[in-house]
């Protein structure tokens, strides 16, 4: 009988005998009958019952281990034998990273041209010692492998985390040998076997030579010789100790340690000091030699490539940042090595039009020879984006690398945005409501642009619970407008039209600063660029948001509340293989359509009748907001049509200290407002950019919220809805120069909103900053005599005024006799 037949017989007997006695009898019968025909693998195990039948014996465990181990050794041997070590000369073949315009024509290319192979004797011993001290102290004695580091890197890749670099110099050299630089498991395996071979076949000096000739130092420099020339203008053999320590620090990541970037300077100095200390620790230098390096060796000015002139370098910079943020396996080193094709969203005609607009406005307004103290170091930054799509079609990043300007102004994050932030406050009030009133469900009541808020200069500001906001000096905080006029209670539409500060500072308290911050982020602003939302000055634009992100946020309004993440690259190919994840992302709903369209309606009024009236020259519907900041250190216009959203920022900055300076006196003008030069740039650009596109109207806004006046607003005889904007320019209400006057009594027969539909409003030349105090037009109350119109250069009532016209504090507000805040810089104004 076979074993199977014996088991069956035993089971039959067991069934007859029943219970354990049957099992025992079956086992006895099987044992008496003998094993029968023997199987090659005795599994399940013969003669065993229960769980033991399924547990392998120690012989089976041993056999399995020997088999697996033998297979592993065989695989390792095979991979080791079949892995080839690349030749050093094969690693320096030039490749290009090519950039394309939106129409797929070539924009520029970045080639691997800045590299030269040199012998170890032609590389300063100081640099050799600094690299070993910084990267791999045991290099001269180790086996070239760091098993823990490799396992850690493989584990991170397996779980989808960020990759880690190799630990030893030998491993880093091997990593540099692969032009693809792909962080994959198969590449790590190949790296491991090449490292073993190189460590056995090459001497340490030869490995160090290969490493120093293939390492990336930034500035497009691969190899020690190219790096020495790029950073210090000397040959690699002439580098001193201090310079060598700085260059060695770049190997950890040139993008983070190149001191040319002001944001890296402190980090670079810290690593430089640390490497010098490590060189003392490895006895490469003496403490006395270390002590000679007291001053950080600043690199020479970067030499730009001719194919990066004009705006090209800023377009490439923007595209590179987007590529590396989207695909973490692509690094700056990989881009510089070449072999990539990057297809961008930039449209050449629009990029040229934007640069032409900036250059023309600069030529007409700035004269550095005539006004060297005012017209030098003037910076512009601009971005133009398609609403609802997110494609960045044009940028203005600066004067060009050929003129020594390397920072990308379109992505600048250190310039306060001023009153261009106020639409975020209004959108929040419409979307989430004010905490000072509740709806029938007990939630904050959503309001509309007809809601009236006090606009008197130097008004006290109250929290949502009614208590006063207290400044750092312990006294109630008072907010200042640009001028000293007593405006009374005005609608939020009018407050936006003339950029009064007081209403929006109070509205921010009513809706809650954190809520405003949340809405701004939903609309496309980066959270890290926002100032502290708990400060009283937060609604006045103390945040430092880049032109790209401001255009994105306003584009959300243009797209009826749909936020489209900005993108600059539609496709990337690496060595001919397309990478996933690039291109347009699905828009997200940031605001209700009715909210976005109502805010747009308010901003159309700003463009037609308020501080942005220069945009009327565009000849098509446009919405937007001006912004001017504390001490006139920056001026903005952010505007949009249904097809394009464009931001224009202007500021003055000392390039040697990267310090913001006042624009007062620029162009021979007392001060620069957002409605002046920035709006002019916007209008000229948009004329050219939209020349071949049809005129489009904004959506008709549907009703949203209700009129919720702030505390103290006088009652009205009739509650009328603020009409949409008209094409007739109007004037702000008159100022009162002395104490506040009693509220004007309601006039049911004549209700109007000044600056929108007051009958008989006609612009009248004015040469004074404050209109005639005898003339006033209070919203939804009544209009009296005709007010004079604003001047072209300084729209009355704007909130950017000189000196005390804005808060100057980042923390708790502190009142002063000019209404400013003590502390850091803050922003407000037109």
């Amino acid at each position: 009988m076979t074993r199977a037949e014996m088991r069956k017989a035993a089971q039959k007997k067991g069934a007859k005998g029943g219970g354990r006695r049957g099992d025992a009898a079956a086992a006895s019968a099987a044992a008496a009958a003998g094993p029968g025909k023997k199987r090659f693998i005795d599994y399940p195990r013969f003669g065993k019952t229960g769980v033991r039948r399924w547990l392998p014996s120690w012989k089976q465990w041993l056999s399995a281990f020997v088999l697996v181990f033998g297979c592993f050794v065989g695989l390792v041997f095979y991979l080791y034998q079949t892995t080839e070590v690349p030749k050093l000369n094969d690693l320096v073949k030039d490749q290009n990273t090519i950039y394309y315009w939106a129409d797929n024509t070539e924009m520029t290319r970045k080639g691997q041209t800045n590299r030269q192979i040199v012998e170890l004797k032609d590389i300063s011993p100081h640099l050799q010692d600094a690299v070993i001290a910084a990267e791999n102290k045991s290099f001269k004695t180790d086996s070239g492998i760091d098993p823990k580091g490799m396992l850690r890197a493989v584990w991170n890749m397996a779980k989808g985390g960020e990759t880690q670099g190799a630990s030893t110099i030998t491993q880093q050299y091997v990593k540099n040998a692969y032009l693809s630089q792909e962080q994959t498991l198969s590449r790590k395996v190949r790296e491991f076997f090449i490292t073993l071979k190189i460590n056995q076949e090459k001497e340490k000096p030869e490995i160090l030579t290969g490493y120093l000739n293939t390492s990336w130092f930034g500035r497009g420099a691969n190899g020690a010789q190219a790096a020495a020339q790029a950073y210090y203008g000397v040959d690699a053999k002439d580098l001193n100790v201090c310079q060598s320590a700085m260059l060695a620090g770049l190997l950890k990541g040139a993008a983070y340690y190149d001191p040319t970037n002001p944001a890296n300077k402190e980090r670079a100095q810290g690593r430089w000091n640390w490497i010098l200390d490590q060189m003392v620790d490895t006895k490469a230098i003496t403490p006395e030699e270390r002590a000679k390096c007291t001053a950080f060796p600043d690199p020479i000015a970067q030499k730009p490539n001719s194919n990066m002139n004009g705006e090209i370098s800023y377009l490439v910079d923007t595209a590179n940042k987007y590529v590396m943020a989207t695909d973490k396996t692509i690094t700056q080193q990989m881009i510089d090595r070449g072999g990539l094709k990057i297809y961008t969203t930039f449209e050449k005609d629009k990029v040229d039009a934007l640069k032409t607009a900036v250059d023309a406005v600069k030529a007409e307004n700035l004269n550095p020879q005539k006004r060297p103290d005012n017209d030098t170091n003037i910076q512009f930054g601009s971005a133009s984006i398609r609403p609802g799509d997110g494609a960045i079609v044009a940028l203005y990043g600066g004067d060009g690398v050929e003129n020594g300007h390397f920072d990308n102004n379109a992505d600048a994050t250190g310039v306060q945005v001023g009153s261009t932030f106020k639409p975020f406050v209004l959108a929040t009030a419409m979307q989430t409501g004010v905490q000072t009133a509740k709806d029938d469900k007990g939630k904050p009541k959503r309001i509309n642009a007809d809601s009236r808020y006090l606009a008197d200069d130097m008004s006290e500001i109250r929290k949502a619970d009614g208590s006063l906001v207290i400044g750092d000096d312990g006294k109630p905080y008072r907010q200042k407008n640009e001028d000293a006029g007593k405006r009374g209670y005005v609608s939020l539409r009018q407050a936006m039209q003339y950029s009064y500060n007081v209403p929006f500072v109070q509205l921010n308290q009513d809706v809650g600063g954190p809520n405003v911050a949340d809405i701004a982020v939903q609309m496309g602003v980066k959270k890290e660029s926002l100032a502290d939302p708990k400060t009283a000055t937060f609604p006045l634009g103390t945040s430092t948001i880049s032109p790209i992100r401001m255009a994105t946020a306003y584009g959300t309004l243009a797209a009826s509340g749909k936020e489209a993440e900005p993108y600059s690259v539609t496709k990337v190919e690496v060595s001919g293989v397309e990478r996933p994840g690039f291109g347009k992302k699905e828009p997200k709903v940031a605001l209700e359509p009715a909210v976005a369209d109502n805010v747009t309606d308010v901003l159309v009024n700003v463009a037609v009748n308020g501080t942005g009236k220069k945009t009327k020259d565009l000849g098509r519907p446009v919405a937007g907001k001006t912004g001017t900041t504390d001490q006139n250190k920056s001026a903005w216009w952010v505007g949009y049509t249904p097809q394009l959203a464009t931001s224009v920022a202007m500021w003055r900055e000392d390039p040697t200290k990267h310090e913001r300076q006042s624009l007062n006196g620029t162009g021979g003008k007392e001060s620069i407002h957002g409605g002046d030069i920035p709006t002019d740039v916007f209008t000229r650009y948009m004329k050219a950019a939209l020349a071949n596109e049809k005129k489009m109207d904004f959506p008709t806004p549907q009703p949203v919220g209700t009129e919720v006046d702030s505390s103290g607003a006088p009652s009205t005889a009739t509650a009328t809805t603020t009409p949409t904007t008209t094409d007739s320019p109007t004037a702000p209400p008159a100022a009162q120069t002395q104490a506040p006057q009693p509220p004007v009594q309601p006039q049911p027969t004549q209700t109007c909103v000044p600056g929108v539909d007051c009958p008989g409003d006609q612009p009248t030349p004015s040469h004074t900053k404050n209109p005639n105090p005898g003339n006033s037009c209070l919203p939804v109350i009544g209009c009296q005599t005709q007010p004079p119109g604003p001047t072209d250069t300084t729209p009355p009532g704007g909130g950017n005024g000189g000196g005390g016209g804005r808060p100057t504090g980042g923390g708790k507000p502190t009142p002063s006799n000019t209404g400013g805040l003590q502390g850091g810089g803050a922003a407000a104004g037109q």
Side-chain angles (χ1 to χ4, degrees), residues 22-44:
D23 290 342
S28 300
K37 186 177 180 181
K38 189 174 182 181
R39 293 179 296 172
F40 179 73
I41 299 178
D42 183 22
Y43 193 82

Side-chain angles (χ1 to χ4, degrees), residues 459-478:
S459 293
E460 293 180 339
I461 303 300
R462 295 182 179 274
K463 299 179 182 178
D465 62 5
S467 62
L468 290 170
V469 174
I470 304 300
D472 290 338
D473 60 357
K475 298 179 181 179
Y477 167 58
R478 294 178 180 272

